[in-house]
Short mmCIF file of all heavy atoms in Angstrom, two decimals:
data_model
loop_
_atom_site.label_atom_id
_atom_site.label_comp_id
_atom_site.label_asym_id
_atom_site.label_seq_id
_atom_site.Cartn_x
_atom_site.Cartn_y
_atom_site.Cartn_z
N MET G 1102 -10.98 -91.06 -6.48
CA MET G 1102 -11.16 -91.06 -7.92
C MET G 1102 -12.65 -91.05 -8.22
O MET G 1102 -13.44 -91.66 -7.52
CB MET G 1102 -10.49 -92.29 -8.52
CG MET G 1102 -10.63 -92.31 -10.02
SD MET G 1102 -9.38 -93.27 -10.83
CE MET G 1102 -10.17 -94.83 -10.96
N LYS G 1103 -13.01 -90.39 -9.30
CA LYS G 1103 -14.41 -90.30 -9.68
C LYS G 1103 -14.89 -91.59 -10.31
O LYS G 1103 -14.11 -92.38 -10.81
CB LYS G 1103 -14.60 -89.16 -10.68
CG LYS G 1103 -14.39 -87.80 -10.07
CD LYS G 1103 -14.83 -86.75 -11.03
CE LYS G 1103 -14.65 -85.41 -10.37
NZ LYS G 1103 -15.69 -84.50 -10.57
N ILE G 1104 -16.18 -91.77 -10.30
CA ILE G 1104 -16.81 -92.90 -10.95
C ILE G 1104 -17.21 -92.45 -12.35
O ILE G 1104 -17.95 -91.49 -12.51
CB ILE G 1104 -18.06 -93.36 -10.17
CG1 ILE G 1104 -17.70 -93.70 -8.72
CG2 ILE G 1104 -18.75 -94.51 -10.87
CD1 ILE G 1104 -16.75 -94.84 -8.57
N TYR G 1105 -16.70 -93.13 -13.35
CA TYR G 1105 -17.02 -92.81 -14.74
C TYR G 1105 -18.06 -93.78 -15.26
O TYR G 1105 -18.03 -94.96 -14.93
CB TYR G 1105 -15.77 -92.89 -15.62
CG TYR G 1105 -14.73 -91.86 -15.27
CD1 TYR G 1105 -13.69 -92.16 -14.41
CD2 TYR G 1105 -14.82 -90.58 -15.78
CE1 TYR G 1105 -12.75 -91.22 -14.08
CE2 TYR G 1105 -13.88 -89.62 -15.45
CZ TYR G 1105 -12.85 -89.95 -14.59
OH TYR G 1105 -11.92 -89.00 -14.26
N SER G 1106 -18.96 -93.27 -16.09
CA SER G 1106 -19.95 -94.14 -16.71
C SER G 1106 -20.23 -93.64 -18.12
O SER G 1106 -19.93 -92.50 -18.46
CB SER G 1106 -21.24 -94.17 -15.88
OG SER G 1106 -21.80 -92.88 -15.81
N ILE G 1107 -20.79 -94.53 -18.92
CA ILE G 1107 -21.16 -94.20 -20.30
C ILE G 1107 -22.65 -94.48 -20.43
O ILE G 1107 -23.10 -95.59 -20.13
CB ILE G 1107 -20.35 -95.03 -21.30
CG1 ILE G 1107 -18.85 -94.77 -21.12
CG2 ILE G 1107 -20.79 -94.72 -22.73
CD1 ILE G 1107 -17.95 -95.71 -21.89
N VAL G 1108 -23.40 -93.47 -20.85
CA VAL G 1108 -24.84 -93.57 -20.95
C VAL G 1108 -25.25 -93.32 -22.39
O VAL G 1108 -24.78 -92.37 -23.01
CB VAL G 1108 -25.53 -92.53 -20.02
CG1 VAL G 1108 -27.03 -92.63 -20.12
CG2 VAL G 1108 -25.07 -92.70 -18.59
N ARG G 1109 -26.11 -94.18 -22.92
CA ARG G 1109 -26.60 -93.98 -24.28
C ARG G 1109 -27.83 -93.09 -24.25
O ARG G 1109 -28.79 -93.33 -23.52
CB ARG G 1109 -26.96 -95.32 -24.92
CG ARG G 1109 -27.37 -95.16 -26.36
CD ARG G 1109 -27.60 -96.49 -27.00
NE ARG G 1109 -27.96 -96.28 -28.39
CZ ARG G 1109 -28.25 -97.22 -29.23
NH1 ARG G 1109 -28.20 -98.48 -28.82
NH2 ARG G 1109 -28.57 -96.96 -30.46
N ILE G 1110 -27.77 -92.02 -25.05
CA ILE G 1110 -28.90 -91.10 -25.19
C ILE G 1110 -29.16 -90.95 -26.69
O ILE G 1110 -28.38 -90.33 -27.40
CB ILE G 1110 -28.61 -89.74 -24.54
CG1 ILE G 1110 -28.37 -89.93 -23.05
CG2 ILE G 1110 -29.77 -88.78 -24.79
CD1 ILE G 1110 -28.01 -88.66 -22.31
N GLY G 1111 -30.26 -91.56 -27.15
CA GLY G 1111 -30.54 -91.55 -28.58
C GLY G 1111 -29.48 -92.34 -29.32
O GLY G 1111 -29.18 -93.48 -28.99
N ALA G 1112 -28.86 -91.71 -30.33
CA ALA G 1112 -27.82 -92.36 -31.11
C ALA G 1112 -26.42 -92.02 -30.60
O ALA G 1112 -25.43 -92.44 -31.18
CB ALA G 1112 -27.94 -91.95 -32.58
N GLU G 1113 -26.32 -91.26 -29.50
CA GLU G 1113 -25.02 -90.82 -29.00
C GLU G 1113 -24.76 -91.42 -27.61
O GLU G 1113 -25.66 -91.89 -26.93
CB GLU G 1113 -24.98 -89.29 -28.91
CG GLU G 1113 -25.13 -88.64 -30.28
CD GLU G 1113 -25.16 -87.14 -30.17
OE1 GLU G 1113 -25.81 -86.61 -29.26
OE2 GLU G 1113 -24.54 -86.51 -31.02
N TYR G 1114 -23.49 -91.37 -27.22
CA TYR G 1114 -23.07 -91.86 -25.92
C TYR G 1114 -22.50 -90.69 -25.12
O TYR G 1114 -21.71 -89.91 -25.64
CB TYR G 1114 -22.02 -92.96 -26.08
CG TYR G 1114 -22.59 -94.19 -26.72
CD1 TYR G 1114 -22.59 -94.34 -28.11
CD2 TYR G 1114 -23.16 -95.19 -25.96
CE1 TYR G 1114 -23.15 -95.45 -28.71
CE2 TYR G 1114 -23.72 -96.31 -26.55
CZ TYR G 1114 -23.70 -96.44 -27.92
OH TYR G 1114 -24.26 -97.54 -28.50
N VAL G 1115 -22.92 -90.59 -23.88
CA VAL G 1115 -22.48 -89.51 -23.00
C VAL G 1115 -21.59 -90.10 -21.92
O VAL G 1115 -21.98 -91.04 -21.23
CB VAL G 1115 -23.69 -88.79 -22.37
CG1 VAL G 1115 -23.23 -87.71 -21.40
CG2 VAL G 1115 -24.58 -88.19 -23.45
N VAL G 1116 -20.37 -89.55 -21.80
CA VAL G 1116 -19.45 -89.95 -20.74
C VAL G 1116 -19.76 -89.08 -19.54
O VAL G 1116 -19.84 -87.86 -19.65
CB VAL G 1116 -17.99 -89.78 -21.19
CG1 VAL G 1116 -17.04 -90.12 -20.05
CG2 VAL G 1116 -17.69 -90.63 -22.41
N ARG G 1117 -19.93 -89.74 -18.38
CA ARG G 1117 -20.25 -89.01 -17.16
C ARG G 1117 -19.17 -89.27 -16.12
O ARG G 1117 -18.66 -90.38 -16.01
CB ARG G 1117 -21.60 -89.46 -16.64
CG ARG G 1117 -22.72 -89.16 -17.62
CD ARG G 1117 -24.03 -89.57 -17.09
NE ARG G 1117 -24.24 -88.84 -15.83
CZ ARG G 1117 -25.38 -88.26 -15.49
NH1 ARG G 1117 -26.41 -88.35 -16.26
NH2 ARG G 1117 -25.47 -87.61 -14.36
N ALA G 1118 -18.85 -88.23 -15.37
CA ALA G 1118 -17.94 -88.33 -14.22
C ALA G 1118 -18.78 -88.04 -12.99
O ALA G 1118 -19.19 -86.90 -12.78
CB ALA G 1118 -16.79 -87.35 -14.35
N GLY G 1119 -19.08 -89.07 -12.23
CA GLY G 1119 -20.00 -88.89 -11.11
C GLY G 1119 -21.39 -88.63 -11.67
O GLY G 1119 -21.91 -89.38 -12.48
N GLU G 1120 -21.99 -87.52 -11.29
CA GLU G 1120 -23.32 -87.15 -11.76
C GLU G 1120 -23.27 -86.12 -12.88
O GLU G 1120 -24.30 -85.64 -13.33
CB GLU G 1120 -24.13 -86.58 -10.59
CG GLU G 1120 -24.41 -87.58 -9.49
CD GLU G 1120 -25.30 -88.72 -9.97
OE1 GLU G 1120 -26.26 -88.47 -10.72
OE2 GLU G 1120 -25.00 -89.87 -9.60
N LYS G 1121 -22.08 -85.77 -13.35
CA LYS G 1121 -21.93 -84.69 -14.33
C LYS G 1121 -21.58 -85.25 -15.71
O LYS G 1121 -20.65 -86.04 -15.85
CB LYS G 1121 -20.82 -83.75 -13.86
CG LYS G 1121 -20.74 -82.48 -14.61
CD LYS G 1121 -19.75 -81.56 -13.94
CE LYS G 1121 -19.99 -80.16 -14.40
NZ LYS G 1121 -19.16 -79.20 -13.70
N SER G 1122 -22.32 -84.83 -16.73
CA SER G 1122 -22.02 -85.21 -18.11
C SER G 1122 -20.84 -84.37 -18.60
O SER G 1122 -20.86 -83.15 -18.46
CB SER G 1122 -23.23 -84.97 -19.01
OG SER G 1122 -24.31 -85.76 -18.60
N VAL G 1123 -19.81 -85.04 -19.14
CA VAL G 1123 -18.62 -84.30 -19.54
C VAL G 1123 -18.28 -84.40 -21.02
O VAL G 1123 -17.52 -83.57 -21.52
CB VAL G 1123 -17.39 -84.74 -18.70
CG1 VAL G 1123 -17.56 -84.34 -17.25
CG2 VAL G 1123 -17.13 -86.22 -18.82
N LEU G 1124 -18.83 -85.38 -21.72
CA LEU G 1124 -18.44 -85.58 -23.12
C LEU G 1124 -19.51 -86.36 -23.85
O LEU G 1124 -20.10 -87.28 -23.29
CB LEU G 1124 -17.12 -86.35 -23.16
CG LEU G 1124 -16.46 -86.57 -24.50
CD1 LEU G 1124 -15.99 -85.24 -25.08
CD2 LEU G 1124 -15.27 -87.50 -24.34
N LYS G 1125 -19.73 -85.99 -25.12
CA LYS G 1125 -20.71 -86.71 -25.93
C LYS G 1125 -20.00 -87.18 -27.20
O LYS G 1125 -19.33 -86.40 -27.88
CB LYS G 1125 -21.86 -85.77 -26.31
CG LYS G 1125 -23.01 -86.46 -27.01
CD LYS G 1125 -24.06 -85.48 -27.49
CE LYS G 1125 -24.72 -84.73 -26.37
NZ LYS G 1125 -25.84 -83.89 -26.82
N VAL G 1126 -20.12 -88.48 -27.52
CA VAL G 1126 -19.49 -89.05 -28.71
C VAL G 1126 -20.48 -89.97 -29.42
O VAL G 1126 -21.49 -90.37 -28.85
CB VAL G 1126 -18.20 -89.83 -28.37
CG1 VAL G 1126 -17.12 -88.91 -27.85
CG2 VAL G 1126 -18.46 -90.92 -27.37
N ALA G 1127 -20.17 -90.30 -30.67
CA ALA G 1127 -21.08 -91.12 -31.47
C ALA G 1127 -20.84 -92.62 -31.30
O ALA G 1127 -21.70 -93.42 -31.63
CB ALA G 1127 -20.94 -90.74 -32.94
N SER G 1128 -19.69 -93.02 -30.76
CA SER G 1128 -19.33 -94.43 -30.67
C SER G 1128 -19.08 -94.85 -29.23
O SER G 1128 -18.36 -94.18 -28.49
CB SER G 1128 -18.06 -94.66 -31.50
OG SER G 1128 -17.43 -95.86 -31.14
N ARG G 1129 -19.67 -95.98 -28.83
CA ARG G 1129 -19.43 -96.50 -27.49
C ARG G 1129 -17.98 -96.90 -27.32
O ARG G 1129 -17.38 -96.70 -26.27
CB ARG G 1129 -20.34 -97.69 -27.21
CG ARG G 1129 -20.08 -98.28 -25.83
CD ARG G 1129 -21.26 -99.00 -25.28
NE ARG G 1129 -21.17 -99.68 -24.04
CZ ARG G 1129 -20.60 -99.29 -22.91
NH1 ARG G 1129 -19.94 -98.17 -22.87
NH2 ARG G 1129 -20.63 -100.01 -21.82
N ARG G 1130 -17.40 -97.46 -28.35
CA ARG G 1130 -15.99 -97.86 -28.30
C ARG G 1130 -15.09 -96.65 -28.07
O ARG G 1130 -14.15 -96.70 -27.28
CB ARG G 1130 -15.60 -98.57 -29.59
CG ARG G 1130 -14.17 -99.09 -29.57
CD ARG G 1130 -13.86 -99.85 -30.81
NE ARG G 1130 -14.66 -101.07 -30.84
CZ ARG G 1130 -14.69 -101.93 -31.82
NH1 ARG G 1130 -13.96 -101.73 -32.90
NH2 ARG G 1130 -15.43 -103.01 -31.76
N LYS G 1131 -15.37 -95.54 -28.75
CA LYS G 1131 -14.59 -94.31 -28.59
C LYS G 1131 -14.77 -93.75 -27.17
O LYS G 1131 -13.81 -93.32 -26.54
CB LYS G 1131 -15.01 -93.27 -29.63
CG LYS G 1131 -14.23 -91.99 -29.57
CD LYS G 1131 -12.80 -92.21 -29.99
CE LYS G 1131 -12.07 -90.89 -30.09
NZ LYS G 1131 -10.65 -91.06 -30.37
N ALA G 1132 -15.99 -93.79 -26.65
CA ALA G 1132 -16.25 -93.31 -25.30
C ALA G 1132 -15.45 -94.14 -24.28
O ALA G 1132 -14.85 -93.59 -23.37
CB ALA G 1132 -17.74 -93.38 -25.00
N ALA G 1133 -15.47 -95.45 -24.45
CA ALA G 1133 -14.74 -96.33 -23.53
C ALA G 1133 -13.24 -96.06 -23.59
O ALA G 1133 -12.55 -96.02 -22.56
CB ALA G 1133 -15.03 -97.79 -23.85
N GLN G 1134 -12.71 -95.84 -24.79
CA GLN G 1134 -11.28 -95.56 -24.94
C GLN G 1134 -10.91 -94.22 -24.28
O GLN G 1134 -9.88 -94.10 -23.63
CB GLN G 1134 -10.88 -95.54 -26.43
CG GLN G 1134 -9.39 -95.37 -26.64
CD GLN G 1134 -8.59 -96.50 -26.03
OE1 GLN G 1134 -8.89 -97.67 -26.24
NE2 GLN G 1134 -7.57 -96.17 -25.26
N LEU G 1135 -11.76 -93.22 -24.44
CA LEU G 1135 -11.50 -91.91 -23.82
C LEU G 1135 -11.51 -91.99 -22.30
O LEU G 1135 -10.68 -91.37 -21.63
CB LEU G 1135 -12.53 -90.88 -24.31
CG LEU G 1135 -12.39 -90.48 -25.78
CD1 LEU G 1135 -13.59 -89.67 -26.23
CD2 LEU G 1135 -11.10 -89.71 -26.01
N VAL G 1136 -12.43 -92.77 -21.73
CA VAL G 1136 -12.47 -92.95 -20.28
C VAL G 1136 -11.20 -93.64 -19.82
O VAL G 1136 -10.57 -93.24 -18.83
CB VAL G 1136 -13.72 -93.73 -19.85
CG1 VAL G 1136 -13.62 -94.17 -18.40
CG2 VAL G 1136 -14.97 -92.90 -20.07
N THR G 1137 -10.79 -94.69 -20.52
CA THR G 1137 -9.57 -95.41 -20.16
C THR G 1137 -8.36 -94.49 -20.21
O THR G 1137 -7.53 -94.48 -19.29
CB THR G 1137 -9.36 -96.61 -21.11
OG1 THR G 1137 -10.50 -97.46 -21.01
CG2 THR G 1137 -8.11 -97.38 -20.75
N ASP G 1138 -8.24 -93.69 -21.27
CA ASP G 1138 -7.12 -92.76 -21.41
C ASP G 1138 -7.11 -91.73 -20.28
O ASP G 1138 -6.07 -91.41 -19.72
CB ASP G 1138 -7.16 -92.05 -22.76
CG ASP G 1138 -6.89 -92.98 -23.93
OD1 ASP G 1138 -6.40 -94.12 -23.70
OD2 ASP G 1138 -7.18 -92.58 -25.08
N ALA G 1139 -8.28 -91.20 -19.95
CA ALA G 1139 -8.37 -90.19 -18.89
C ALA G 1139 -7.95 -90.77 -17.54
O ALA G 1139 -7.22 -90.13 -16.79
CB ALA G 1139 -9.79 -89.64 -18.82
N VAL G 1140 -8.41 -91.98 -17.24
CA VAL G 1140 -8.05 -92.61 -15.96
C VAL G 1140 -6.55 -92.85 -15.90
O VAL G 1140 -5.90 -92.59 -14.87
CB VAL G 1140 -8.83 -93.93 -15.77
CG1 VAL G 1140 -8.29 -94.73 -14.60
CG2 VAL G 1140 -10.30 -93.63 -15.57
N GLU G 1141 -5.94 -93.32 -16.99
CA GLU G 1141 -4.50 -93.56 -17.01
C GLU G 1141 -3.72 -92.27 -16.82
O GLU G 1141 -2.73 -92.24 -16.08
CB GLU G 1141 -4.10 -94.23 -18.32
CG GLU G 1141 -4.52 -95.68 -18.42
CD GLU G 1141 -4.19 -96.29 -19.77
OE1 GLU G 1141 -3.61 -95.60 -20.64
OE2 GLU G 1141 -4.52 -97.47 -19.97
N LEU G 1142 -4.15 -91.19 -17.47
CA LEU G 1142 -3.46 -89.90 -17.31
C LEU G 1142 -3.56 -89.40 -15.88
O LEU G 1142 -2.58 -88.92 -15.31
CB LEU G 1142 -4.05 -88.87 -18.26
CG LEU G 1142 -3.63 -88.97 -19.72
CD1 LEU G 1142 -4.44 -88.01 -20.58
CD2 LEU G 1142 -2.15 -88.68 -19.86
N LEU G 1143 -4.75 -89.48 -15.29
CA LEU G 1143 -4.91 -89.02 -13.91
C LEU G 1143 -4.09 -89.86 -12.94
O LEU G 1143 -3.50 -89.32 -12.00
CB LEU G 1143 -6.39 -89.06 -13.51
CG LEU G 1143 -7.26 -87.99 -14.17
CD1 LEU G 1143 -8.73 -88.25 -13.86
CD2 LEU G 1143 -6.86 -86.61 -13.72
N ASP G 1144 -4.02 -91.15 -13.17
CA ASP G 1144 -3.24 -92.02 -12.30
C ASP G 1144 -1.74 -91.76 -12.44
O ASP G 1144 -1.01 -91.79 -11.46
CB ASP G 1144 -3.53 -93.49 -12.58
CG ASP G 1144 -4.90 -93.92 -12.08
OD1 ASP G 1144 -5.49 -93.18 -11.26
OD2 ASP G 1144 -5.38 -94.98 -12.51
N SER G 1145 -1.28 -91.48 -13.65
CA SER G 1145 0.15 -91.28 -13.87
C SER G 1145 0.64 -89.94 -13.35
O SER G 1145 1.77 -89.82 -12.89
CB SER G 1145 0.49 -91.40 -15.36
OG SER G 1145 -0.02 -90.30 -16.09
N GLN G 1146 -0.20 -88.91 -13.39
CA GLN G 1146 0.21 -87.58 -12.96
C GLN G 1146 -0.11 -87.33 -11.50
O GLN G 1146 0.49 -86.48 -10.87
CB GLN G 1146 -0.45 -86.51 -13.81
CG GLN G 1146 0.02 -86.54 -15.24
CD GLN G 1146 -0.65 -85.46 -16.07
OE1 GLN G 1146 -1.56 -84.79 -15.62
NE2 GLN G 1146 -0.19 -85.30 -17.29
N GLY G 1147 -1.06 -88.02 -10.97
CA GLY G 1147 -1.49 -87.74 -9.60
C GLY G 1147 -2.20 -86.41 -9.56
O GLY G 1147 -1.64 -85.39 -9.88
N ALA G 1148 -3.44 -86.44 -9.23
CA ALA G 1148 -4.24 -85.22 -9.20
C ALA G 1148 -3.73 -84.29 -8.11
O ALA G 1148 -3.50 -84.71 -6.99
CB ALA G 1148 -5.71 -85.55 -8.97
N PRO G 1149 -3.55 -82.99 -8.43
CA PRO G 1149 -3.10 -82.06 -7.40
C PRO G 1149 -4.20 -81.85 -6.36
O PRO G 1149 -5.38 -81.86 -6.67
CB PRO G 1149 -2.85 -80.76 -8.18
CG PRO G 1149 -3.70 -80.88 -9.40
CD PRO G 1149 -3.78 -82.35 -9.71
N GLN G 1150 -3.79 -81.68 -5.13
CA GLN G 1150 -4.73 -81.45 -4.05
C GLN G 1150 -5.09 -79.98 -4.01
O GLN G 1150 -4.21 -79.13 -3.93
CB GLN G 1150 -4.14 -81.88 -2.71
CG GLN G 1150 -3.85 -83.37 -2.64
CD GLN G 1150 -5.12 -84.20 -2.75
OE1 GLN G 1150 -6.15 -83.82 -2.23
NE2 GLN G 1150 -5.04 -85.32 -3.43
N LEU G 1151 -6.36 -79.68 -4.07
CA LEU G 1151 -6.83 -78.31 -3.99
C LEU G 1151 -7.12 -77.97 -2.54
O LEU G 1151 -7.61 -78.80 -1.79
CB LEU G 1151 -8.09 -78.12 -4.84
CG LEU G 1151 -7.95 -78.41 -6.33
CD1 LEU G 1151 -9.30 -78.26 -7.01
CD2 LEU G 1151 -6.94 -77.46 -6.95
N ALA G 1152 -6.81 -76.74 -2.18
CA ALA G 1152 -7.11 -76.29 -0.82
C ALA G 1152 -8.62 -76.17 -0.67
O ALA G 1152 -9.29 -75.60 -1.53
CB ALA G 1152 -6.45 -74.95 -0.55
N PRO G 1153 -9.18 -76.68 0.39
CA PRO G 1153 -10.63 -76.57 0.56
C PRO G 1153 -11.02 -75.11 0.79
O PRO G 1153 -10.32 -74.36 1.47
CB PRO G 1153 -10.92 -77.41 1.81
CG PRO G 1153 -9.61 -77.50 2.52
CD PRO G 1153 -8.54 -77.38 1.48
N GLN G 1154 -12.12 -74.72 0.19
CA GLN G 1154 -12.60 -73.36 0.34
C GLN G 1154 -13.64 -73.33 1.44
O GLN G 1154 -14.57 -74.15 1.46
CB GLN G 1154 -13.20 -72.85 -0.96
CG GLN G 1154 -12.18 -72.71 -2.06
CD GLN G 1154 -12.81 -72.18 -3.33
OE1 GLN G 1154 -14.02 -72.09 -3.44
NE2 GLN G 1154 -11.99 -71.83 -4.29
N ALA G 1155 -13.48 -72.40 2.34
CA ALA G 1155 -14.44 -72.26 3.42
C ALA G 1155 -15.70 -71.59 2.89
O ALA G 1155 -15.62 -70.61 2.15
CB ALA G 1155 -13.84 -71.43 4.54
N PRO G 1156 -16.86 -72.12 3.22
CA PRO G 1156 -18.09 -71.47 2.78
C PRO G 1156 -18.26 -70.14 3.51
O PRO G 1156 -17.79 -69.96 4.62
CB PRO G 1156 -19.19 -72.45 3.15
CG PRO G 1156 -18.59 -73.26 4.26
CD PRO G 1156 -17.11 -73.30 4.01
N GLY G 1157 -18.90 -69.23 2.86
CA GLY G 1157 -19.14 -67.95 3.50
C GLY G 1157 -19.16 -66.82 2.49
O GLY G 1157 -19.34 -67.03 1.29
N GLU G 1158 -18.94 -65.64 2.98
CA GLU G 1158 -18.97 -64.45 2.14
C GLU G 1158 -17.76 -64.41 1.21
O GLU G 1158 -16.67 -64.82 1.59
CB GLU G 1158 -18.97 -63.20 3.03
CG GLU G 1158 -20.20 -63.08 3.90
CD GLU G 1158 -21.47 -62.93 3.09
OE1 GLU G 1158 -21.47 -62.17 2.12
OE2 GLU G 1158 -22.45 -63.60 3.44
N PRO G 1159 -17.93 -63.90 0.00
CA PRO G 1159 -16.79 -63.75 -0.90
C PRO G 1159 -15.82 -62.70 -0.35
O PRO G 1159 -16.22 -61.75 0.33
CB PRO G 1159 -17.41 -63.28 -2.21
CG PRO G 1159 -18.80 -62.89 -1.90
CD PRO G 1159 -19.19 -63.50 -0.59
N SER G 1160 -14.57 -62.89 -0.62
CA SER G 1160 -13.55 -61.97 -0.14
C SER G 1160 -13.46 -60.75 -1.04
O SER G 1160 -13.55 -60.84 -2.26
CB SER G 1160 -12.19 -62.69 -0.12
OG SER G 1160 -11.17 -61.77 0.17
N ILE G 1161 -13.25 -59.60 -0.41
CA ILE G 1161 -13.04 -58.38 -1.20
C ILE G 1161 -11.61 -57.89 -1.03
O ILE G 1161 -11.27 -56.77 -1.37
CB ILE G 1161 -14.03 -57.27 -0.81
CG1 ILE G 1161 -13.93 -56.94 0.68
CG2 ILE G 1161 -15.46 -57.66 -1.17
CD1 ILE G 1161 -14.70 -55.71 1.09
N ALA G 1162 -10.75 -58.75 -0.48
CA ALA G 1162 -9.36 -58.38 -0.26
C ALA G 1162 -8.65 -58.23 -1.61
O ALA G 1162 -8.98 -58.89 -2.59
CB ALA G 1162 -8.67 -59.46 0.57
N CYS G 1163 -7.66 -57.35 -1.64
CA CYS G 1163 -6.89 -57.12 -2.87
C CYS G 1163 -5.98 -58.30 -3.14
O CYS G 1163 -5.49 -58.96 -2.22
CB CYS G 1163 -6.04 -55.87 -2.72
SG CYS G 1163 -7.02 -54.38 -2.59
N ASP G 1164 -5.74 -58.55 -4.40
CA ASP G 1164 -4.80 -59.58 -4.81
C ASP G 1164 -3.40 -59.01 -4.65
O ASP G 1164 -3.06 -58.00 -5.26
CB ASP G 1164 -5.07 -59.95 -6.27
CG ASP G 1164 -4.20 -61.09 -6.75
OD1 ASP G 1164 -3.29 -61.51 -6.01
OD2 ASP G 1164 -4.44 -61.56 -7.88
N PRO G 1165 -2.54 -59.64 -3.81
CA PRO G 1165 -1.21 -59.09 -3.59
C PRO G 1165 -0.33 -59.08 -4.84
O PRO G 1165 0.63 -58.35 -4.91
CB PRO G 1165 -0.62 -59.98 -2.50
CG PRO G 1165 -1.41 -61.23 -2.55
CD PRO G 1165 -2.77 -60.86 -3.07
N GLY G 1166 -0.68 -59.87 -5.84
CA GLY G 1166 0.10 -59.91 -7.07
C GLY G 1166 -0.28 -58.83 -8.06
O GLY G 1166 0.36 -58.66 -9.09
N VAL G 1167 -1.31 -58.04 -7.75
CA VAL G 1167 -1.78 -57.00 -8.67
C VAL G 1167 -1.33 -55.64 -8.15
O VAL G 1167 -1.57 -55.29 -7.00
CB VAL G 1167 -3.32 -57.03 -8.80
CG1 VAL G 1167 -3.80 -55.90 -9.67
CG2 VAL G 1167 -3.77 -58.37 -9.34
N ILE G 1168 -0.66 -54.88 -9.00
CA ILE G 1168 -0.22 -53.55 -8.64
C ILE G 1168 -1.20 -52.56 -9.21
O ILE G 1168 -1.45 -52.54 -10.42
CB ILE G 1168 1.19 -53.27 -9.20
CG1 ILE G 1168 2.18 -54.30 -8.62
CG2 ILE G 1168 1.64 -51.84 -8.88
CD1 ILE G 1168 3.54 -54.27 -9.24
N PRO G 1169 -1.82 -51.70 -8.37
CA PRO G 1169 -2.80 -50.76 -8.88
C PRO G 1169 -2.17 -49.73 -9.82
O PRO G 1169 -1.01 -49.37 -9.67
CB PRO G 1169 -3.36 -50.09 -7.61
CG PRO G 1169 -2.39 -50.38 -6.54
CD PRO G 1169 -1.61 -51.60 -6.94
N ASP G 1170 -2.96 -49.29 -10.77
CA ASP G 1170 -2.51 -48.27 -11.73
C ASP G 1170 -2.61 -46.91 -11.06
O ASP G 1170 -3.69 -46.40 -10.82
CB ASP G 1170 -3.38 -48.34 -12.99
CG ASP G 1170 -2.89 -47.41 -14.07
OD1 ASP G 1170 -1.84 -46.78 -13.89
OD2 ASP G 1170 -3.58 -47.31 -15.10
N ARG G 1171 -1.49 -46.29 -10.75
CA ARG G 1171 -1.47 -45.01 -10.04
C ARG G 1171 -1.86 -43.83 -10.91
O ARG G 1171 -2.15 -42.76 -10.43
CB ARG G 1171 -0.07 -44.74 -9.46
CG ARG G 1171 0.36 -45.76 -8.46
CD ARG G 1171 -0.40 -45.58 -7.18
NE ARG G 1171 0.03 -46.59 -6.20
CZ ARG G 1171 -0.64 -46.92 -5.17
NH1 ARG G 1171 -1.79 -46.36 -4.91
NH2 ARG G 1171 -0.20 -47.83 -4.33
N SER G 1172 -1.91 -44.03 -12.25
CA SER G 1172 -2.28 -42.91 -13.13
C SER G 1172 -3.76 -42.57 -12.98
O SER G 1172 -4.17 -41.47 -13.34
CB SER G 1172 -1.97 -43.26 -14.59
OG SER G 1172 -2.77 -44.36 -15.01
N GLU G 1173 -4.57 -43.47 -12.45
CA GLU G 1173 -5.99 -43.21 -12.29
C GLU G 1173 -6.32 -42.60 -10.93
O GLU G 1173 -7.42 -42.17 -10.70
CB GLU G 1173 -6.78 -44.51 -12.47
CG GLU G 1173 -6.67 -45.07 -13.87
CD GLU G 1173 -7.43 -46.36 -14.02
OE1 GLU G 1173 -8.16 -46.75 -13.07
OE2 GLU G 1173 -7.32 -46.99 -15.08
N VAL G 1174 -5.36 -42.58 -10.02
CA VAL G 1174 -5.59 -42.03 -8.69
C VAL G 1174 -5.43 -40.51 -8.75
O VAL G 1174 -4.44 -40.02 -9.29
CB VAL G 1174 -4.60 -42.64 -7.67
CG1 VAL G 1174 -4.80 -42.04 -6.30
CG2 VAL G 1174 -4.76 -44.15 -7.63
N PRO G 1175 -6.38 -39.71 -8.20
CA PRO G 1175 -6.26 -38.25 -8.29
C PRO G 1175 -5.12 -37.68 -7.49
O PRO G 1175 -4.59 -38.14 -6.60
CB PRO G 1175 -7.59 -37.73 -7.72
CG PRO G 1175 -8.28 -38.89 -7.10
CD PRO G 1175 -7.59 -40.12 -7.54
#
């Protein structure tokens, strides 16, 4: 699970997930409630596991779910 924090910047509060800013609100109370709601939703649904992507060259393989338009082929 990510580490959530609330940082005050000027008159606004920024909600952060890890090192990334994700939301800006005017009230600290609202920011805290949004973080609590998000954590509860993630815990209740269970975050889906994403397949790890291997670093390297981008793939140029065709998508098997896409059917090419034969009207453009000479």
